[in-house]
Amino acid sequence: PNHSLLHMSVFSQSFSPCGRFLAAGNNYGEIAIFSLSAALSPDATGLSQKPVLTFTAHEGPVFSLLSADCHLLSAGNGEISAWSWAELIKKVRIRLKDSFTVSADLKQQSGDNSLIVGGGDNNIHILDLEHGVFKSVLQGHSDYIHCVSVREREAEILSGGEDGAVRIWDSRTGQCAHCIEVYKYESCARPQYGKWISCLTTDSDWMLCGGGPSLSLWHLRSLSPTSIFPLTGCQRQATFYQDMILAVGEGPFVSHCLLGGEVKAQIPCTPQSLNTLQLNTNSTEHRVLTVGGSSDHIDVFTNLSYKAFSLRF
């Protein structure tokens, strides 16, 4: 319905395992599947930028999407659902499982095929995807969890929450090894925005986190911030890319930052405020960056310096 376009926000994205499709979730509980092959083809038309399939997955917003092996996992209020990519691509949907608490973020641990779920009950739940059972609960946050990240090599899980803490967990024992209260570091603190951590990602010995506090780069061995990025507003997602950091949040642009802390460029986007950015590393042929936020448009960058076109919900 048209009224929904005015107030539509895209909250989450995930590329298919083959890299030829993009799934996006919005505030109305809908998931749209786009064909990147069609949209990137030389004879693409306006129609190629529309979904090949749209379906309602949850009653409230689709907070998080993740592709695990052959399934697309989606988190809504009070449930996680799994959709078969093969079936979605055949434009059919099969609901496999649903369960449990409000979910903020999902990440997969590849070694033992488990799903890390950060939730609204302030806990992290680890779900065994083979058997569909929860095998452990990590307790320590005093408010709900916004973001999780997995460090495979160190067998560590990191989580950031509304309580302003980043916790580093030993995934073998389920114990919290370190707790960093980012807002207590003067260089990161922005009391006017609050203390919550809304984005968190890791790359070997480095961590990026931000939210109320400034987006900052941390060295995980010394547990200290090495660079603070002078970006305004709350950053909602950030990622390492080559020797740069890409970040989105309040404001209609993708920020390109250097590891030393400088903001090198801000590339204009369609939505006025951004929630999600995703790099497609699953397919060399469809290597794109996609960005979504307070609009029914998802911007596609084939070159990081300018938007190539938009997909539309």
Side-chain angles (χ1 to χ4, degrees):
N2 269 350
H3 70 265
S4 64
L5 297 184
L6 291 172
H7 306 291
M8 187 182 294
S9 285
V10 176
F11 276 1
S12 48
Q13 306 180 83
S14 184
F15 291 103
S16 62
C18 65
R20 291 186 321 221
F21 296 89
L22 170 68
N26 71 13
N27 53 326
Y28 296 107
E30 298 168 325
I31 294 176
I33 309 290
F34 298 93
S35 165
L36 291 174
S37 327
L40 292 167
S41 108
D43 35 84
T45 63
L47 201 59
S48 323
Q49 297 166 4
K50 296 292 280 179
V52 288
L53 171 67
T54 307
F55 59 93
T56 300
H58 298 283
E59 278 184 22
V62 182
F63 291 116
S64 186
L65 287 170
L66 175 74
S67 287
D69 299 339
C70 46
H71 291 106
L72 173 68
L73 301 164
S74 64
N77 259 324
E79 61 181 13
I80 295 173
S81 301
W83 316 86
S84 153
W85 265 114
E87 296 299 327
L88 289 174
I89 290 167
K90 289 196 305 209
K91 303 191 191 182
V92 180
R93 61 198 186 95
I94 291 183
R95 187 115 178 197
L96 298 180
K97 300 186 185 88
D98 23 12
S99 63
F100 108 77
T101 168
V102 181
S103 319
D105 203 5
L106 308 170
K107 288 287 176 296
Q108 194 177 8
Q109 224 174 0
S110 54
D112 55 356
N113 204 14
S114 51
L115 183 68
I116 314 299
V117 181
D121 62 352
N122 312 348
N123 297 327
I124 292 170
H125 300 263
I126 301 179
L127 172 65
D128 178 338
L129 285 173
E130 302 288 319
H131 307 103
V133 294
F134 286 97
K135 49 186 187 184
S136 56
V137 180
L138 312 185
Q139 295 175 309
H141 280 282
S142 60
D143 209 333
Y144 57 87
I145 296 164
H146 286 290
C147 40
V148 293
S149 183
V150 177
R151 287 178 85 201
E152 301 281 355
R153 255 202 348 241
E154 280 72 21
E156 284 178 352
I157 294 165
L158 282 80
S159 56
E162 186 70 11
D163 57 7
V166 170
R167 285 183 174 269
I168 302 177
W169 310 83
D170 180 327
S171 61
R172 290 167 294 219
T173 64
Q175 297 303 304
C176 180
H178 303 284
C179 175
I180 305 168
E181 291 178 299
V182 179
Y183 64 98
K184 290 187 176 172
Y185 289 73
E186 208 178 319
S187 55
C188 307
R190 297 190 300 183
Q192 70 275 26
Y193 289 119
K195 62 182 186 179
W196 78 92
I197 300 296
S198 53
C199 64
L200 170 71
T201 187
T202 51
D203 184 11
S204 68
D205 288 335
W206 298 92
M207 167 181 83
L208 267 176
C209 67
S214 300
L215 184 69
S216 49
L217 178 66
W218 293 65
H219 190 249
L220 285 171
R221 288 179 191 227
S222 60
L223 295 182
S224 56
T226 58
S227 299
I228 314 289
F229 300 96
L231 298 169
T232 52
C234 167
Q235 300 307 300
R236 301 204 184 92
Q237 204 167 5
T239 185
F240 291 94
Y241 178 69
Q242 291 170 357
D243 51 353
M244 275 196 312
I245 283 162
L246 306 178
V248 295
E250 286 162 38
F253 42 76
V254 177
S255 299
H256 292 188
C257 304
L258 303 178
L259 298 174
E262 308 87 331
V263 179
K264 190 175 122 185
Q266 294 193 304
I267 311 301
C269 295
T270 310
Q272 288 309 292
S273 175
L274 302 169
N275 300 322
T276 165
L277 89 165
Q278 210 66 38
L279 281 158
N280 187 8
T281 49
N282 298 350
S283 149
T284 40
E285 199 186 338
H286 309 103
R287 188 151 288 171
V288 292
L289 168 72
T290 55
V291 178
S294 58
S295 159
D296 61 329
H297 282 56
I298 295 168
D299 289 348
V300 180
F301 296 80
T302 47
N303 166 330
L304 287 187
S305 324
Y306 58 89
K307 181 187 89 180
F309 59 88
S310 299
L311 301 166
R312 293 185 313 283
F313 233 101

